[in-house]
Amino acid sequence: QVQLVESGGGLVQAGGSLRLSCTASGSTFSSYAMAWFRQAPGKEREFAASISGGGSITYYASSVKGRFTISRDNAKNMVSLQMNSLKTEDTAVYYCAADRTSAQAMSRRISDLKLWGQGTLVTVSS
């Protein structure tokens, strides 16, 4: 079982960029699909992006597609989320998650996911 630690959150102006990272413990990182979710104040946690274990398959929520890019480095046990053209509505706590199913499955079944990081806060100011 992996443990996940996010980093890279902070305050950024609208239109700016930020890169989040999630580092996983354990030696079987490549066997896990990974995903980023986010939870804005007063709202439910929602899917943002996911990536397959090998990194060749990615999925994005429509709200972030074209602005966010998920990637992973299995040699470093790390998954990243590059966020460009940030909007105030991107303000949220961002969580990474791991699952042994698939990137597609992770985009659809948040309630079944059990491996989560502690979250990192992203604040986009106008």
Side-chain angles (χ1 to χ4, degrees):
Q1 181 160 317
V2 297
Q3 292 186 325
L4 307 172
V5 178
E6 300 98 335
S7 61
L11 175 64
V12 63
Q13 286 191 328
S17 298
L18 209 58
R19 187 177 182 87
L20 306 182
S21 295
C22 173
T23 302
S25 64
S27 59
T28 60
F29 179 67
S30 61
S31 67
Y32 288 86
M34 299 295 296
W36 287 94
F37 292 80
R38 64 186 186 180
Q39 187 165 17
K43 295 188 177 181
E44 293 186 351
R45 193 170 300 188
E46 64 176 12
F47 170 76
S50 60
I51 188 167
S52 61
S56 61
I57 300 172
T58 57
Y59 291 91
Y60 295 94
S62 57
S63 58
V64 308
K65 196 169 187 178
R67 300 187 298 121
F68 291 10
T69 302
I70 188 171
S71 62
R72 67 189 295 161
D73 185 338
N74 286 343
K76 295 182 179 179
N77 280 17
M78 182 180 294
V79 61
S80 299
L81 186 68
Q82 177 67 40
M83 306 185 294
N84 298 329
S85 302
L86 283 161
K87 306 175 182 179
T88 55
E89 51 263 44
D90 293 319
T91 294
V93 177
Y94 284 72
Y95 299 90
C96 70
D99 196 73
R100 287 189 179 274
T101 54
S102 68
Q104 183 179 38
M106 292 188 77
S107 72
R108 298 177 177 179
R109 40 185 286 275
I110 181 174
S111 60
D112 292 342
L113 301 179
K114 293 179 172 55
L115 298 176
W116 295 92
Q118 83 288 352
T120 186
L121 176 63
V122 172
T123 303
V124 184
S125 63
S126 59

